Amino acid sequence: MEAYLLAIAIFVAIFTLLTLGLNLQYGLTGLTNFGLVGFFGIGAYASAILTTHGYPVVAGFAAGAALAVIAAWPIGLVALRLRDDYFAIATLGLSEVVRVAIISEKELTAGVQGIPGIPRLFAVLESRTWQPLLLLAVLVAANLGVVLVMRRIARSPFGRVIGAIRDNEEAVRALGKDPARFKTQVLMVGAGLSAVAGSFYAHYVGYVTPDQITPLVTFQIWMAMILGGTGRISGAVLGTLLLMLLIEGARFLPDLLPFVSSTAMAELRVFVVGLALVLFTVYRPQGLMGEVARR
Amino acid sequence: MRFDRRQTLRLMAAGTLAAGLPRGASAQAEEFRVGALCPVTGAGATFGAGMQKTIIATAARINAAGGAAGRTFRVFADDDQTQPQAGVLAAKKLLEVNRVQAILGTWSSGVSLAVIPLTNEAGAILMNTSGAPALSVPPANAKHLSYRFQATNDRFGRAFAQIAAREGFKRPATMAFNNASGIGNTEGFAKAWKAQGGSLTKAVVYEPNQPSYRSELQSVLDTKPDVIVMGSYVADTAIILREWYQTGATTKFILPDWAVNASTIASLGEDVLSNCITVESVANEGSPAFADFDALYRKEMGAPGRGNNYAAMAYDMMVLLALAVEAAGPGADVAAINARIIPLSGPDGEVVSSFAQGRDALKAGRTINYDGASSVLDLDQYGDVTPDFGAYKFNGKSFERKYIVKI
């Protein structure tokens, strides 16, 4: 049981990093990034490729984050011209470009076959309890660090500007600020964070394929953020936890409801998660942690 | 009705506690615990539910027949959602919470490759229906605990090469759908064909979901092949064959059987299809095991068993595992049971086609060879099945088996 709970906790921590990145982009700045998984994929593949070729783990993390930041920069330029829906479509497109590029670059990425055998983090610890515990501790520390930095950002002059961009971009421009510059910076930071999450993911699952970087991941992160409360940093953490508990908790339903066949239950689970989301938007539209609707 | 934050949090906390309550996973000594981890949702959903129900029903039937070596089988079912990450969590739950000793029925290569480190670590058996070559060899299968009931794409390719040689083709080209399975087929063919001393005129990989494949097709036809070997699926195959017919070329096609279905036959007609040879790993149709499986599948799913070859594999997994438990004797551990699996699958020994028959023969001290519903199994040293392949040609109504090749 412990190992299973640890596995859930590790996935929650990895996805919380993604949700925090998205929260910075959408919740705080109002950037509708539907291409989150693209940056996640860049991180995952950078780590997978470098570590399976014998480079140290740190190199994978660094290269992934650097590449994602570089990839986010032109998107920032696009963001100068596109807003809201158009920007969302452009980012969705970017994530698909990343996926197709990975499929096509067979020499480097093994294409659709994927890369197996990515080394685990802290594999020197042979123990099946201590290795995941240490990984979880590192992930929690990373999340805490990110949360602290986000809080600082949100309360800094920079944070007030991006908040103003979210609320009224024209007004910000009228005040003599350049929204594009701020948006680009936010995008690049969020992209780097997503890539770090991707690296952790690759090392934990041990196997990456292009199938893992589909837009579905992006939308799960969006769900987590909406459940938690858009714009709230604590919401990002709790939302991810709640989403994973909904998805994983449903695994235990067959034990509780023996009269439903377990095969039907698997199908029901998707329904349960969807229903929870609908109920949330009806009864708690501001999310778990959102106290006031700010928009 | 609106909840404020405190109420919401309180509700969530209560829900979490309720969900996390430990519930009875009390292990009985006389029980062998099996996880049925199938793709009930996601890309594999067409097959997953049938596979899972087959495993559950087969285990129930084995239990009704008295179990194996004094043990009964208890199946814990879960859904891998055809996603590696969901598969990892489901496998952890099965291994840690339900303490299963074997996981049966992972379908996609991505899921199997993500689950196999966990089963290895736990010393549990994994039986899958995935095509990826990486599954057979270390590091994935370093402990020889994993078995594959589906012919690898590579073996399909080798069967294609034999059939092409037998049909007297000299200048083959290949066209593959850009995924692991499509490319696996054509690359397997290319490797085997070159080993026979042949060469390809052209090898094209195409992106899926196009309305037309004319430019890819034309680039292949320009090299004047006498046969095009395909690694394709239903939708793209129908378009490619139609466009090929419009060009008036006289090439032939060798296709995997899953690329052609009833609607392809209805929409394309004899002029096109008489130029095609389809290749199928011969499910043991006509064998008693297949008849057993078919009856069980019809009862569970209300559909004929030949529509879901993966369910036939799932059936064989459960039967072979139960026979291994029987052969290893009462109280045997997983390692001892695992050691029995490959010998029981054949090819040596008295042929048996059901659990009851096999158990009785084992009790009488005879060596047995279980010939399954999905194939004759005959697992090799890597735990891969070695099925026979059939070459099928169009007879005006349907594809009819002409001959069988062994690889």
Side-chain angles (χ1 to χ4, degrees):
Chain A
M1 187 73 194
E2 294 75 24
Y4 171 57
L5 289 179
L6 264 177
I8 295 183
I10 288 170
F11 276 118
V12 168
I14 292 172
F15 287 125
T16 302
L17 282 177
L18 273 177
T19 317
L20 285 168
L22 179 64
N23 194 53
L24 171 70
Q25 295 174 342
Y26 180 75
L28 301 181
T29 322
L31 287 168
T32 331
N33 183 356
F34 277 1
L36 204 64
V37 75
F39 304 113
F40 176 76
I42 290 173
Y45 263 87
S47 275
I49 292 168
L50 287 177
T51 51
T52 50
H53 282 81
Y55 290 91
V57 168
V58 181
F61 273 87
L67 279 173
V69 167
I70 293 167
W73 182 65
I75 296 297
L77 297 184
V78 172
L80 294 177
R81 298 186 176 79
L82 300 177
R83 294 187 59 180
D84 300 341
D85 324 3
Y86 301 102
F87 180 68
I89 290 168
T91 49
L92 184 61
L94 173 89
S95 76
E96 284 296 280
V97 167
V98 170
R99 195 171 63 84
V100 173
I102 287 171
I103 291 177
S104 311
E105 280 302 318
K106 287 189 204 67
E107 302 286 303
L108 200 57
T109 63
V112 286
Q113 308 273 7
I115 304 176
I118 305 163
R120 293 196 169 190
L121 296 177
F122 317 119
V124 276
L125 292 176
E126 293 281 330
S127 155
R128 282 170 58 191
T129 322
W130 290 107
Q131 186 268 341
L133 262 182
L134 182 58
L135 174 61
L136 182 62
V138 169
L139 274 164
V140 168
N143 272 300
L144 273 179
V146 173
V147 166
L148 288 178
V149 171
M150 291 270 170
R151 282 188 189 266
R152 284 298 287 272
I153 289 180
R155 286 170 194 164
S156 68
F158 181 86
R160 286 195 292 277
V161 176
I162 59 175
I165 292 173
R166 176 193 62 202
D167 294 336
N168 191 335
E169 192 172 334
E170 298 306 320
V172 174
R173 193 168 287 134
L175 288 170
K177 302 273 185 197
D178 177 12
R181 192 164 66 87
F182 287 90
K183 283 165 131 182
T184 310
Q185 286 167 354
V186 163
L187 262 175
M188 289 164 79
V189 172
L193 201 52
S194 309
V196 169
S199 294
F200 273 117
Y201 178 92
H203 284 295
Y204 187 63
V205 175
Y207 175 60
V208 289
T209 56
D211 297 346
Q212 281 153 287
I213 49 174
T214 55
L216 184 70
V217 180
T218 305
F219 293 114
Q220 278 186 344
I221 299 303
W222 272 86
M223 267 167 78
M225 185 186 66
I226 292 167
L227 285 174
T230 309
R232 294 285 306 231
I233 290 159
S234 53
V237 179
L238 279 174
T240 317
L241 187 63
L242 173 60
L243 185 72
M244 284 297 276
L245 284 178
L246 275 174
I247 295 176
E248 286 303 311
R251 240 180 244 297
F252 289 88
L253 282 176
D255 303 345
L256 294 177
L257 308 171
F259 50 89
V260 185
S261 90
S262 26
T263 312
M265 192 56 77
E267 286 148 2
L268 200 60
R269 186 161 66 191
V270 184
F271 170 80
V272 168
V273 174
L275 182 71
L277 189 67
V278 171
L279 290 180
F280 247 86
T281 38
V282 173
Y283 292 112
R284 184 109 189 131
Q286 68 275 46
L288 201 54
M289 295 306 292
E291 199 64 307
V292 281
R294 290 205 271 180
R295 299 235 284 167
Chain B
M1 185 170 62
R2 289 279 160 99
F3 297 110
D4 70 20
R5 190 168 83 191
R6 277 165 204 273
Q7 281 173 322
T8 321
L9 283 176
R10 224 172 273 152
L11 273 174
M12 300 314 312
T16 314
L17 277 179
L21 285 179
R23 58 195 58 77
S26 57
Q28 291 172 24
E30 299 306 310
E31 210 173 59
F32 191 90
R33 304 162 86 84
V34 176
L37 183 56
C38 306
V40 183
T41 55
T46 339
F47 308 110
M51 293 170 73
Q52 196 165 68
K53 286 186 173 169
T54 301
I55 293 172
I56 295 170
T58 310
R61 190 190 267 195
I62 290 167
N63 291 342
R71 296 198 217 189
T72 54
F73 292 87
R74 181 157 170 206
V75 180
F76 296 87
D78 213 325
D79 174 20
D80 65 34
Q81 300 169 36
T82 331
Q83 278 180 31
Q85 165 206 333
V88 165
L89 283 168
K92 286 245 184 210
K93 187 242 174 193
L94 289 170
L95 291 166
E96 302 289 339
V97 182
N98 303 126
R99 307 206 163 276
V100 300
Q101 293 144 295
I103 290 182
L104 272 52
T106 55
W107 178 82
S108 102
S109 296
V111 172
S112 298
L113 278 166
V115 165
I116 200 170
L118 306 176
T119 49
N120 281 344
E121 208 167 59
I125 294 165
L126 178 70
M127 294 182 168
N128 66 70
T129 66
S130 310
L135 272 169
S136 320
V137 288
N141 200 13
K143 291 192 170 178
H144 296 289
L145 283 164
S146 166
Y147 301 92
R148 184 203 316 256
F149 283 66
Q150 153 87 320
T152 57
N153 301 125
D154 194 56
R155 282 198 162 85
F156 258 97
R158 272 149 60 191
F160 286 0
Q162 281 204 16
I163 289 166
R166 179 165 172 163
E167 296 285 331
F169 293 118
K170 298 277 179 266
R171 295 172 52 80
T174 63
M175 286 182 79
F177 187 103
N178 194 357
N179 74 3
S181 160
I183 294 174
N185 282 332
T186 55
E187 284 183 352
F189 167 77
K191 210 163 70 188
W193 184 255
K194 284 172 186 161
Q196 294 171 13
S199 61
L200 301 184
T201 64
K202 181 111 181 167
V204 167
V205 176
Y206 57 85
E207 289 303 315
N209 306 323
Q210 298 184 43
S212 162
Y213 297 92
R214 194 155 301 183
S215 58
E216 288 90 345
L217 184 64
Q218 202 57 54
S219 76
V220 170
L221 291 176
D222 285 347
T223 64
K224 307 220 179 303
D226 53 7
V227 63
I228 301 178
V229 175
M230 307 278 285
S232 58
Y233 290 91
V234 171
D236 41 311
T237 300
I239 297 170
I240 290 172
L241 288 178
R242 186 174 296 124
E243 289 176 347
W244 162 80
Y245 186 60
Q246 288 162 0
T247 65
T250 55
T251 334
K252 308 275 181 187
F253 284 87
I254 297 178
L255 308 146
D257 69 295
W258 61 76
V260 175
N261 66 7
S263 77
T264 321
I265 291 175
S267 68
L268 286 178
E270 194 172 356
D271 287 347
V272 178
L273 295 171
S274 57
N275 294 294
C276 299
I277 300 170
T278 65
V279 181
E280 187 175 327
S281 75
V282 182
N284 237 344
E285 284 169 37
S287 73
F290 188 85
D292 271 0
F293 156 72
D294 188 49
L296 180 139
Y297 193 81
R298 281 176 198 269
K299 187 159 157 266
E300 292 297 318
M301 301 298 289
R306 62 175 306 161
N308 190 346
N309 203 18
Y310 296 104
M313 293 171 202
Y315 174 86
D316 290 339
M317 289 173 185
M318 193 61 231
V319 173
L320 188 60
L321 179 65
L323 286 173
V325 172
E326 172 71 35
D333 62 3
V334 177
I337 292 166
N338 185 54
R340 299 289 183 149
I341 291 178
I342 290 179
L344 286 172
S345 73
D348 304 321
E350 174 190 340
V351 173
V352 298
S353 53
S354 73
F355 170 70
Q357 198 188 351
R359 183 191 53 188
D360 295 345
L362 283 171
K363 280 200 172 137
R366 298 199 290 271
T367 314
I368 61 164
N369 162 20
Y370 173 65
D371 275 4
S374 61
S375 72
V376 295
L377 302 184
D378 296 355
L379 297 166
D380 67 8
Q381 54 172 328
Y382 304 107
D384 291 345
V385 290
T386 322
D388 296 338
F389 291 86
Y392 295 67
K393 290 185 184 172
F394 197 66
N395 65 5
K397 279 203 233 42
S398 62
F399 279 92
E400 193 184 335
R401 190 188 298 164
K402 291 295 177 192
Y403 52 88
I404 286 184
V405 293
K406 292 181 184 292
I407 55 168

